[in-house]
Amino acid sequence: MSIAMDPRLREILVCPCPRNAPLRDGLPTDPDADYLTCQSCGRSFPVRDGIPVLLLQEAIGGPEADTPSEGPGKG
């Protein structure tokens, strides 16, 4: 199953992480989920009402090293 989205938009979407890799439909564990998953970093971004939410803070999964940390000793 493919996520319902304008095909022109789908062609230009890439992950917002520094690698800017292409996105594939679904989650690694659920290919029918309403998510787009980066083929490079593995982050998964929700698609709500046909609109991809490509914000790193909304992503699930992916490398821990690339996500901002609010803990002490960082920076």
Side-chain angles (χ1 to χ4, degrees), residues 8-74:
R8 293 173 292 169
L9 174 63
R10 188 69 174 93
E11 288 178 18
I12 61 172
L13 288 179
V14 295
C15 181
C17 79
R19 296 181 188 117
N20 296 125
L23 300 163
R24 67 176 181 271
D25 291 354
L27 292 167
T29 57
D30 183 2
D32 293 329
D34 287 336
Y35 278 83
L36 294 173
T37 299
C38 178
Q39 295 182 27
S40 179
C41 72
R43 287 183 179 92
S44 297
F45 300 91
V47 177
R48 297 182 184 129
D49 297 323
I51 301 168
V53 182
L54 298 178
L55 300 171
L56 292 175
Q57 62 267 27
E58 293 285 328
I60 58 173
E64 293 295 322
D66 287 353
T67 57
S69 176
E70 297 177 13
K74 299 288 180 183

